Amino acid sequence: MEETEWLAERFEQHRPRLRAVAYRMLGSMAEADDAVQDAWLRLGRSDADQIDNLGGWLTTVVARECLHMLRSRRRREEPRLPEPVAIVDGDLDPEQEALMADSVGLALLVVLDRLSPAERLAFVLHDMFELPFAEIAAIVGRTPAAARQLASRARRRVNGAELPSPDPDLVRRRQVVDAFYAASRGGDFDALVQILDPDVVWTSDFGTDGQRVVRGAPAVARQVRGANGGRLHPVLVNGVVGALVTVDGRPFAALVFTVAGDRIIAIDGLRDPERVRRFADAAGIPPPPVTSPAREGS
């Protein structure tokens, strides 16, 4: 028992990095946690005394599991928005501040989703976590030179994507999004158009029903009417301002805003019920109270 506890303690020291690797690989914290849990199970079946570099061994196991999951996803799924990481907007504790500081924007995760599984693994492990190409080559089953080429191709695609640069001032971003909320609730079309960048992009993910993309301020302004009875809960999502939309107390949608200057340049929306529920759970927003059905004659 003592040996198991000792091993578990050592594993927990590596868990934050393993989750970070897996999330960047998969774009889903739920799937990332599955990959990390698989690494723990594999460790329990291995002779830990024979592992010289536990962190490297665990990273390799997680990376291989992520590669397998990416290949399976590519065969069976339609493209979808990555699953964001949410924290209730407000005073952050040190752990939450660290998570936000280390967060990856949804725009980058979308670009990573366009890479092949091997390209994504090479880019994430080398460019984000500084693993040498010799170790990456062993994971993807190629030579170090081929692994270097994978990362290079991925890097060119990421650099060529012209990812939006959010305003670093969180207070300013909140003010812009608050103005958006006010204009949306008031049905003020002209005010919405002024808050939105002329080339703003609105992306909605409906899960198995696919994505919908709307471009341009007038077209997006017509899409942002709030649901009847909807309530907005401010959250921080992958380091940027967002909101959970609830209707009658139940999670309805998640919104993520990218702000540059005084305008919104991108809005990403999640409407897939299961993913929105996980988003609400991660943000710490409680579910609606369960009400008992009324008795007949009462």
Side-chain angles (χ1 to χ4, degrees):
M1 177 61 71
E2 289 182 359
E3 182 177 352
T4 301
E5 291 176 353
W6 172 80
L7 190 60
E9 183 176 332
R10 292 188 65 195
F11 180 83
E12 289 303 318
Q13 293 173 354
H14 295 282
R15 182 185 292 274
R17 175 182 168 86
L18 297 175
R19 292 183 84 216
V21 169
Y23 180 64
R24 284 155 179 75
M25 286 286 296
L26 301 169
S28 164
M29 192 57 76
E31 292 180 349
D33 285 337
D34 287 342
V36 173
Q37 181 64 17
D38 180 75
W40 165 245
L41 295 176
R42 288 175 183 266
L43 179 61
R45 297 193 296 266
S46 304
D47 186 354
D49 292 335
Q50 299 301 313
I51 300 174
D52 294 329
N53 180 355
L54 182 60
W57 187 91
L58 290 170
T59 299
T60 297
V61 171
V62 167
R64 283 178 172 153
E65 178 62 18
C66 289
L67 186 62
H68 171 73
M69 294 168 75
L70 284 173
R71 287 170 172 166
S72 297
R73 180 195 298 174
R74 199 177 185 90
R75 287 193 295 266
R76 72 177 189 273
E77 287 190 0
E78 295 295 328
R80 64 179 186 178
L81 279 176
E83 193 165 306
V85 177
I87 292 177
V88 174
D89 197 353
D91 294 332
L92 305 182
D93 62 34
E95 182 178 350
Q96 292 171 328
E97 287 180 350
L99 179 60
M100 286 296 100
D102 195 40
S103 63
V104 177
L106 286 182
L108 174 57
L109 289 173
V110 169
V111 176
L112 294 181
D113 268 348
R114 298 170 186 159
L115 304 177
S116 72
E119 288 173 342
R120 185 168 186 168
L121 183 143
F123 178 81
V124 168
L125 293 184
H126 181 266
D127 286 44
M128 293 184 171
F129 293 94
E130 301 179 342
L131 261 70
F133 287 116
E135 295 182 22
I136 296 171
I139 298 172
V140 296
R142 305 192 188 189
T143 65
R148 184 186 297 273
Q149 286 298 316
L150 288 172
S152 179
R153 286 201 302 268
R155 194 180 306 116
R156 286 196 298 269
R157 294 185 66 180
V158 170
N159 292 338
E162 297 183 357
L163 298 174
S165 299
D167 193 314
D169 188 337
L170 182 57
V171 174
R172 180 194 294 270
R173 282 183 274 164
R174 287 192 180 107
Q175 291 172 342
V176 173
V177 173
D178 286 345
F180 167 87
Y181 291 156
S184 178
R185 285 193 300 265
D188 191 334
F189 180 83
D190 292 336
L192 283 169
V193 171
Q194 290 300 313
I195 296 166
L196 298 170
D197 185 86
D199 298 319
V200 64
V201 178
W202 164 282
T203 305
S204 297
D205 190 338
F206 293 85
T208 55
D209 293 332
Q211 294 182 9
R212 182 182 182 188
V213 179
V214 179
R215 301 177 186 275
V220 171
R222 287 189 285 268
Q223 298 292 318
V224 295
R225 302 291 189 272
N228 292 333
R231 180 185 174 192
L232 295 169
H233 304 263
V235 293
L236 292 176
V237 186
N238 290 62
V240 300
V241 178
L244 173 72
V245 182
T246 59
V247 176
D248 297 327
R250 300 184 182 280
F252 176 76
L255 301 176
V256 183
F257 300 89
T258 303
V259 177
D262 294 322
R263 291 189 172 181
I264 295 171
I265 61 176
I267 304 174
D268 295 301
L270 292 177
R271 286 285 306 277
D272 175 57
E274 179 59 25
R275 302 182 80 200
V276 173
R277 183 193 62 76
R278 290 201 297 267
F279 181 94
D281 290 344
I285 297 174
V290 178
T291 57
S292 301
R295 295 180 180 177
E296 292 186 13
S298 60

